[in-house]
Amino acid sequence: MKEKIALAYSGGLDTSVIAKWLQEQYHAEVITVSANLGQQKELVGIEEKAYKTGAKKAIVLDLREEFATEYIFPALKAGALYEQSYPMATSLGRPLIAKALVEVARAEACTAVAHGCTGKGNDQVRFETAIAALAPDLKIYAPLREWEFKSRQEEIEYCQRHGIPVKATKENPYSIDENMWGTSIECGILENPRVAPPEDAYQRTVSPEQAPNESATVEIEFESGVPISLDGKALPPVELIMKLNEIAGAHGIGRLDLIENRLVGIKSRELYEAPAATVLHFAHRELERLTLDKDTMHYKAKIAHDYADLIYNGLWFSPLRYALSAFVEETQKVVNGVVTLKLYKGNITLLSRWSPNSLYDERLATYSAEDQFDHKASAGFIKIYSLPLKTYYRINGAPTSKPAIEAK
Ligand code: ARG
């Protein structure tokens, strides 16, 4: 019986060559699976492209809604930023694409799946750990790790030999991956970290210099940690993210130039553009300052780091990620309210925050006559609070340090 392989298909040169190559190499039938995660690059004509490679079936799935609600929002609520900065558009997309690939493989009775990730990146790990979790019996092909082609030119010639049309467009100097949560840009001149990013590397944001002289104000409402409306207008998740990408991108918000630690041991340099993600993480964090109690807020910040690592390292479907997610969910019950921000030439400024669950109590915070804080209670508190210190130094002698005032 012929082997049947479900291939994650972007429609680009690599995955088009893979589609054909798998058929030749393994006498296999190939079903291509393309996912719409809200990328700007349209998927129109992708089925036709797939059939030109000899694929038996070409499937296109609109996963935008699921991506926003089941992947992006949990990461947003967790405050998950890899190495404190990267919102992980690429890292979050992979487990969902892997899940879709597995679902198609099951529905079409495939015995294997395939992807077009390189052998030195994080994405191969993310795909394959997700598949291992969801469908450990499926064989996985990663042709880029094993095939004979050494250059783009060789791949183009292979396509020409097999009658697969390739566009004679000039090669993009960068490798780009994008979806509604952001764009990742690497390769070419960017591989030298001494070189400032050329303006043409950016795909969806203007430079602060090119941004309008008039600022924009955005008002974002959250319910249980999730954004539900923009400027007073309720919007479904996908629309809200897309709209915010447009507004913030036009004001030069969300650019990031990062040296990061890859899972496979390499330090790499990548540019990111994530206008909506940057604004939403900012707003969400501010709302948490207002609504989370101190202990929960501090504890959550500690696990945000681990949560981000799990996403980045391909462990989305791990028991620990599910467990941390349950914790995060519990914390978000009170993260309701409205945050108003000013966007101006690449910067975000907080204008106002409000929440029905606000823990900020003006009667306690004020220095005016309305003050209701019990000042006298502080004396007893400090007495007990400092008791361990007093005891320690009574036994061990006073702490030594350079005297602030020289004795005469
Ligand atoms: N470094 C990012 C990550 O591991 C993005 C990887 C893909 N980047 C690209 N330009 N194709 O999540």
Side-chain angles (χ1 to χ4, degrees):
M1 211 177 78
K2 259 198 168 181
E3 184 160 35
K4 224 171 164 184
I5 307 172
L7 164 68
Y9 185 65
S10 73
L13 180 63
D14 281 344
T15 50
S16 295
V17 175
I18 291 174
K20 185 73 198 175
W21 187 86
L22 287 170
Q23 296 170 55
E24 280 205 315
Q25 194 76 4
Y26 302 107
H27 306 289
E29 273 183 11
V30 169
I31 296 174
T32 62
V33 184
S34 309
N36 181 357
L37 299 185
Q39 53 270 49
Q40 295 174 296
K41 202 178 129 219
E42 298 252 343
L43 289 172
V44 283
I46 199 162
E47 285 113 322
E48 206 184 311
K49 256 185 182 170
Y51 288 124
K52 292 245 167 74
T53 71
K56 269 271 154 341
K57 206 166 178 179
I59 296 173
V60 179
L61 300 167
D62 183 354
L63 305 177
R64 287 176 297 174
E65 177 79 20
E66 186 178 0
F67 187 42
T69 58
E70 305 296 321
Y71 293 75
I72 289 173
F73 286 170
L76 173 66
K77 288 186 268 190
L81 295 167
Y82 186 61
E83 297 186 336
Q84 266 103 84
S85 41
Y86 164 42
M88 298 186 289
T90 299
S91 334
L92 282 164
R94 297 310 184 221
L96 176 54
I97 297 171
K99 178 173 156 276
L101 198 59
V102 164
E103 282 164 8
V104 169
R106 292 302 191 216
E108 301 288 335
C110 297
T111 48
V113 293
H115 63 72
C117 306
T118 76
K120 63 189 295 183
N122 297 315
D123 288 330
Q124 53 175 346
V125 184
R126 295 173 185 143
F127 269 122
E128 294 183 35
T129 48
I131 293 160
L134 300 171
D137 56 297
L138 285 179
K139 203 189 286 175
I140 303 171
Y141 291 111
L144 254 69
R145 292 201 295 246
E146 52 197 88
W147 70 16
E148 63 275 22
F149 307 111
K150 280 182 220 73
S151 66
R152 204 180 147 82
Q153 191 47 41
E154 284 180 27
E155 289 184 45
I156 291 172
E157 282 161 19
Y158 178 86
C159 285
Q160 285 163 348
R161 277 205 303 285
H162 290 89
I164 301 168
V166 277
K167 271 206 219 108
T169 49
K170 215 168 124 250
E171 192 192 339
N172 191 312
Y174 310 107
S175 157
I176 297 169
D177 180 66
E178 51 130 1
N179 60 48
M180 75 175 90
W181 202 230
T183 303
S184 309
I185 309 139
E186 62 178 351
C187 297
I189 185 88
L190 301 174
E191 285 174 1
N192 182 350
R194 285 187 81 163
V195 175
E199 204 40 48
D200 77 348
Y202 291 106
Q203 313 292 315
R204 66 195 306 165
T205 56
V206 301
S207 69
E209 290 85 352
Q210 293 298 313
N213 292 328
E214 294 294 311
S215 66
T217 301
V218 287
E219 186 191 282
I220 306 165
E221 182 177 358
F222 288 83
E223 196 178 276
S224 301
V226 160
I228 55 160
S229 86
L230 196 59
D231 297 329
K233 192 170 166 245
L235 286 178
V238 176
E239 266 177 64
L240 188 144
I241 292 169
M242 300 293 239
K243 183 91 196 129
L244 208 45
N245 271 328
E246 220 175 275
I247 299 170
H251 284 273
I253 311 276
R255 288 184 172 190
L256 174 67
D257 177 348
L258 187 69
I259 298 279
E260 76 197 47
N261 291 293
R262 273 192 203 170
L263 180 55
V264 294
I266 306 166
K267 272 196 195 292
S268 58
R269 194 267 192 106
E270 188 138 3
L271 297 186
Y272 296 103
E273 293 175 281
T278 303
V279 171
L280 288 173
H281 270 287
F282 186 107
H284 181 264
R285 197 164 46 238
E286 292 306 327
L287 197 54
E288 284 194 332
R289 287 186 203 280
L290 195 60
T291 54
L292 296 188
D293 64 283
K294 174 175 135 182
D295 285 346
T296 304
M297 187 178 137
H298 288 190
Y299 195 80
K300 189 169 175 286
K302 289 188 217 171
I303 70 127
H305 180 89
D306 295 336
Y307 201 114
D309 280 0
L310 291 170
I311 296 172
Y312 188 86
N313 294 337
L315 295 172
W316 181 261
F317 296 112
S318 67
L320 180 56
R321 208 282 301 170
Y322 284 116
L324 292 184
S325 193
F327 165 78
V328 170
E329 268 319 300
E330 177 65 23
T331 65
Q332 297 299 293
K333 290 190 293 200
V334 293
V335 186
N336 306 303
V338 181
V339 178
T340 309
L341 304 170
K342 186 169 82 178
L343 313 179
Y344 181 65
K345 293 193 184 289
N347 291 303
I348 306 175
T349 313
L350 179 63
L351 294 181
S352 132
R353 67 289 243 188
W354 172 86
S355 169
N357 304 88
S358 173
L359 302 178
Y360 181 89
D361 186 339
E362 255 181 280
R363 291 165 310 176
L364 292 177
T366 186
Y367 284 96
S368 72
E370 276 75 58
D371 187 8
Q372 294 190 2
F373 182 79
D374 182 356
H375 293 237
K376 292 206 177 71
S378 289
F381 163 72
I382 297 166
K383 199 167 176 184
I384 305 291
Y385 183 67
S386 60
L387 185 57
L389 278 181
K390 272 191 193 162
T391 309
Y392 181 91
Y393 290 118
R394 179 165 51 77
I395 305 298
N396 297 306
T400 50
S401 65
K402 197 169 163 278
I405 311 161
E406 292 291 341
K408 286 254 165 72

